[in-house]
Amino acid sequence: MTAPLNLTHLRSLVAVVDRKSFTRAAQVLHLSQSTVSQHVRLLERRVGTELIVREQRGVKLTPRGGEFVDRARGLLAEHDELVGDFAGTGPRRSRRRLSIGSTEHAADQVLPRLLAAFRRTFPGNDLSFVLQRSTALIEAVRREDLDLAVTLAITPDAPGTRVGAMQLRWVADATLEVPEGGTTLPLVAFEDPCAIRARAFDLLGASGMVASVVAQSASLDGVLSAVRAGLGLPLLPIASDIPEGLRELPGLPPAGQIGVHVVSRDGLADTITYTALTMLSSFLT
């Protein structure tokens, strides 16, 4: 009979990978660094392969280690779910629902990847998601209406854990050009309150440009429709590719980046939070 894996050793390995450090993993697990190192060594000895390599700036998974950790997350999640289902006196729930929120900007480019990671790692969970503004998502997580949310924030001290950033870029349809000096820029924007809208006016004002909102919408689809109609230009967060049919508009002040944060409700399993953190960090860096 095959000897079982030690779940404590698995948790130590996952913690080291998520924190990219034996020291930080030990702090989170309330163990000594030598104990965490021993757990990883024993696990590698048990499976007969090297899983992790120490580097000057942290740790790195081997190719086999990456596959092992992905499956280890699923095993730990199933274990925690099993204990949660049967530890109490109430009836067992056959499946759990994981509620995820996201801003539309993030949803367009990163949500498909995030949902794929959750489906792969937590096959026993039903997934539901909602698209909202960041402020509404944060409040929903605090009320525990959502388990986890992907939000955007201009300031680095926003709620949650920052996992990367999206570039803020001026875009337009193929026909729109930047008006010459002295002409008011036609701006397409999200309805107030909106930090990106405020950033756009600040940047243009600091460059001596005058802008006027010619179209606004509460949704990303509404903003993009106005832009594709040639009404004006918006400032948009872009993770990878510019939306189809649009182009980046030259001649405007650089807008920098906006941070992407993961906000989790109190008590959410670490395996769920760090699946999101790991996937988003790998995509956004």
Side-chain angles (χ1 to χ4, degrees), residues 37-48:
S37 297
Q38 182 185 39
H39 287 173
V40 174
R41 286 197 304 271
L42 290 172
L43 196 54
E44 289 178 324
R45 188 182 306 168
R46 169 66 186 79
V47 299

Side-chain angles (χ1 to χ4, degrees), residues 154 166-170 196 199 235-237 255-258:
I154 294 288
M166 299 171 73
Q167 194 71 33
L168 289 169
R169 299 162 76 175
W170 304 97
I196 298 175
R199 168 69 67 88
L235 181 63
L236 292 180
Q257 297 179 325
I258 186 167

Side-chain angles (χ1 to χ4, degrees), residues 13 20 38 65 91 114 134 147 162 186 202 242:
L13 173 65
K20 297 181 173 59
Q38 182 185 39
L114 182 59
S134 293
D147 294 306
R162 182 179 169 119
D202 289 344
I242 292 175

